[in-house]
Amino acid sequence: MTVLSLALALVCTADHPVPAWVPRGAQVGLLMATDASIVAPDVRLQWDFGIVEQPRNDLVLLAQLGTAIGAVLPPNMIAHYQHVAMIGLGYRSTYELFHWGFQFGLGPVWYRAAFTRGGVNPFESRVLGYAEGRLQVGLRLQKHLIVGLYFGYASPWTYSPNRYPGNTYVGGLNLGVFADWR
């Protein structure tokens, strides 16, 4: 959280546009399995590059890196992690104060699931294809700073709950806060 605060402070004082290697946004939220059996706080960094930029509307190519760690787990599970790298498209409409948009991304997710010792489920460490979509609404606080809320859904492309029960808990409902300083 300190790193996010420092980055926001530096970017708010910087002249726009920020260099391409600097993330253009960050998100902190929760991933929840659809049956609420797992809740995982997640953190993401986002880079975006304008495809079509207009005064109020932007179509962007985006890239995200993030991680989530299971905080609330099902009874037979002792650890669950998921790390994601995605590319996708996003649309943003920003007015004087109000901001809204949506984005969709695809990429790999690497998840690890550990279960109780002596149980029937072995340790899992797998890479799967992953898709995610989200809506966002927010407020423009400064010329180059937007803060808001997002809501979305994420899912791996394949499920094998009988053979790999840990992938049942990858993705799910995704909600949280975001900051965008492009």
Side-chain angles (χ1 to χ4, degrees):
M1 204 55 140
T2 305
V3 172
L4 178 59
S5 300
L6 180 59
L8 280 173
L10 289 172
V11 169
C12 288
T13 60
D15 206 17
H16 184 72
V18 295
W21 52 269
V22 174
R24 306 290 172 94
Q27 296 119 35
V28 177
L30 294 173
L31 276 169
M32 295 176 285
T34 51
D35 63 355
S37 57
I38 188 168
V39 177
D42 75 319
V43 177
R44 303 263 179 103
L45 292 177
Q46 179 171 306
W47 291 260
D48 53 50
F49 309 95
I51 297 172
V52 176
E53 294 180 325
Q54 297 175 344
R56 288 192 190 118
N57 301 302
D58 295 321
L59 179 63
V60 296
L61 176 67
L62 58 92
Q64 282 189 358
L65 292 174
T67 190
I69 300 171
V72 176
L73 301 170
N76 65 338
M77 188 177 284
I78 57 173
H80 193 276
Y81 307 94
Q82 47 190 313
H83 314 288
V84 66
M86 290 190 310
I87 59 169
L89 292 174
Y91 170 79
R92 299 188 181 116
S93 182
T94 306
Y95 295 86
E96 200 62 34
L97 183 63
F98 181 72
H99 165 85
W100 74 276
F102 57 87
Q103 59 191 43
F104 179 76
L106 301 170
V109 61
W110 171 37
Y111 82 90
R112 298 167 54 94
F115 299 91
T116 55
R117 286 187 185 251
V120 294
N121 299 322
F123 177 79
E124 296 177 35
S125 179
R126 299 183 64 220
V127 175
L128 303 171
Y130 190 74
E132 181 177 287
R134 68 171 56 165
L135 299 171
Q136 60 187 35
V137 295
L139 298 173
R140 184 192 320 209
L141 301 180
Q142 293 182 2
K143 184 177 179 183
H144 298 292
L145 176 63
I146 298 167
V147 176
L149 304 172
Y150 68 85
F151 173 79
Y153 188 78
S155 178
W157 296 345
T158 58
Y159 282 105
S160 305
N162 295 334
R163 188 168 175 201
Y164 301 106
N167 77 353
T168 305
Y169 305 105
V170 174
L173 297 176
N174 190 358
L175 55 107
V177 296
F178 74 93
D180 185 325
W181 51 81
R182 54 188 166 87

